[in-house]
Each structure stands twice: as structure tokens, then as C-alpha cells.
Amino acid sequence: MGEGPEMTLEETKERIEEQEEEEQEERELPLPCLLTAKDVQDILGIGERATYLLLNQKDFPSFKISGEWRVRPELLVEWCDAQIERGEQ
């Protein structure tokens, strides 16, 4: 069939895992320094109304710059983690 030694099942699994990790790294895009309301909406997969209700909550880490909502990505992640820990998804 092919030339050279065949790979073992374990070697094949390792190669597939490596390829999947490389593909995942290629798909990951760095987050901007500040997220917009639309970014938050897209990341959380929620509607526009729900996004603005969330942005207005006192415990949500958002603020306005020139009248536009902004959220630091790392604070959004921390907020999501806290919601999961509290069981509020």
C-alpha cells in the first residue's frame, strides 16, 4: 500500500489531536480591548433588548464612553463565570 512504516493507532490519535488543536488556534481571534454592545450580544448569543437590559444591570461590568456601552472582555468572562457558579445562566 503506502511507503514507509504505518502509524500506530496511538500515533494516529495524537496526530489528529494536534491537527485539531492547530485548527482551533487558527480559528480563535483575539478579543478587542473593549467590547461594544453588539459584541456582547454576539458573544452571549442574546437579542438586542436582552443585551441592553444586561448592560444596565448594576452588577454587570459595563460603562459608557461618549454615550456608547463598553465592556472589558476579561470582565465579561469573569461575570459569566460568576453566573455559572451561582447557577444563573
Side-chain angles (χ1 to χ4, degrees):
M1 287 208 224
E3 296 178 18
E6 292 185 22
M7 290 193 310
T8 66
L9 181 58
E10 189 61 36
E11 290 171 330
T12 303
K13 286 180 184 179
E14 287 176 17
R15 177 176 262 182
I16 290 171
E17 287 174 3
E18 288 172 2
Q19 288 174 342
E20 288 174 349
E21 287 175 10
E22 288 173 7
E23 289 172 7
Q24 179 64 27
E25 289 173 4
E26 289 173 6
R27 285 191 297 266
E28 291 177 2
L29 299 174
L31 291 174
C33 293
L34 293 174
L35 302 172
T36 65
K38 180 68 172 142
D39 293 331
V40 172
Q41 179 180 341
D42 293 343
I43 289 167
L44 298 179
I46 59 178
E48 183 178 1
R49 184 171 187 277
T51 300
Y52 284 98
L53 289 172
L54 186 60
L55 291 168
N56 280 290
Q57 288 183 5
K58 289 183 181 184
D59 71 330
F60 191 76
S62 58
F63 58 96
K64 285 187 174 183
I65 297 178
S66 299
E68 299 291 325
W69 286 106
R70 296 292 185 259
V71 177
R72 289 180 36 205
E74 63 275 12
L75 296 180
L76 177 60
V77 171
E78 288 176 17
W79 181 86
C80 289
D81 289 343
Q83 301 312 299
I84 292 168
E85 285 177 18
R86 289 192 286 188
E88 300 175 15
Q89 298 180 352

